[in-house]
Amino acid sequence: MRLMIVDDSMIIRNRIAVISNDSRLGHVEIVGLAGDGEQALALADAKKPNVITMDLTMPNMDGEECIARLTHILPDAKILVVSALSDRVTALRAIRNGAHGFLHKPFRDDELLGALLELSQ
């Protein structure tokens, strides 16, 4: 798995990075950490991740716009939205834009691990 983590919170980026080192996921290479959608697009183009965790509320470019653009750059990448926005409409819109799953913040470690395991298959 080539993982890119996109979140404006360094705490969340680091937490996802630590959880992704779980041996049940197999080999995970973290190819990028981005604090906003603009950074994510640049990293995605250069590093070609196949799994991306994506926050929705970020400065410069939000997650929804970033997801829509990423699906053109990396059509085979699987995107897991990890967001505090919990309304059903937001989740469905993210999935329609190309996300493959939605995890609500705050999340437990086992919830994130399960979502990443599901995406890696």
Side-chain angles (χ1 to χ4, degrees):
M1 178 187 307
R2 294 176 51 78
L3 176 64
M4 181 171 69
I5 302 167
V6 185
D7 199 293
D8 60 337
S9 166
M10 186 178 2
I11 293 168
I12 296 294
R13 289 193 307 267
N14 290 339
R15 182 169 173 218
I16 293 171
V18 168
I19 295 167
S20 70
N21 283 319
D22 189 292
S23 62
R24 290 171 283 184
L25 285 172
H27 177 70
V28 175
E29 179 185 0
I30 297 173
V31 297
L33 300 170
D36 62 47
E38 289 176 358
Q39 291 174 2
L41 290 177
L43 279 171
D45 192 40
K47 302 293 186 174
K48 308 291 190 245
N50 62 347
V51 175
I52 301 164
T53 64
M54 177 69 62
D55 189 12
L56 291 181
T57 308
M58 299 179 291
N60 300 323
M61 179 189 299
D62 67 22
E64 284 189 59
E65 183 178 348
C66 188
I67 290 168
R69 291 185 185 197
L70 282 171
T71 58
H72 294 292
I73 296 169
L74 301 169
D76 295 328
K78 303 230 171 122
I79 301 170
L80 173 65
V81 172
V82 182
S83 177
L85 298 176
S86 61
D87 65 282
R88 187 176 172 91
V89 173
T90 301
L92 290 172
R93 196 168 50 234
I95 302 247
R96 262 196 307 271
N97 283 339
H100 297 84
F102 196 101
L103 184 63
H104 299 286
K105 291 179 192 172
F107 56 86
R108 294 187 324 267
D109 292 3
D110 63 314
E111 290 174 319
L112 178 65
L113 180 61
L116 289 172
L117 279 167
E118 191 174 312
L119 287 182
S120 68
Q121 297 176 5

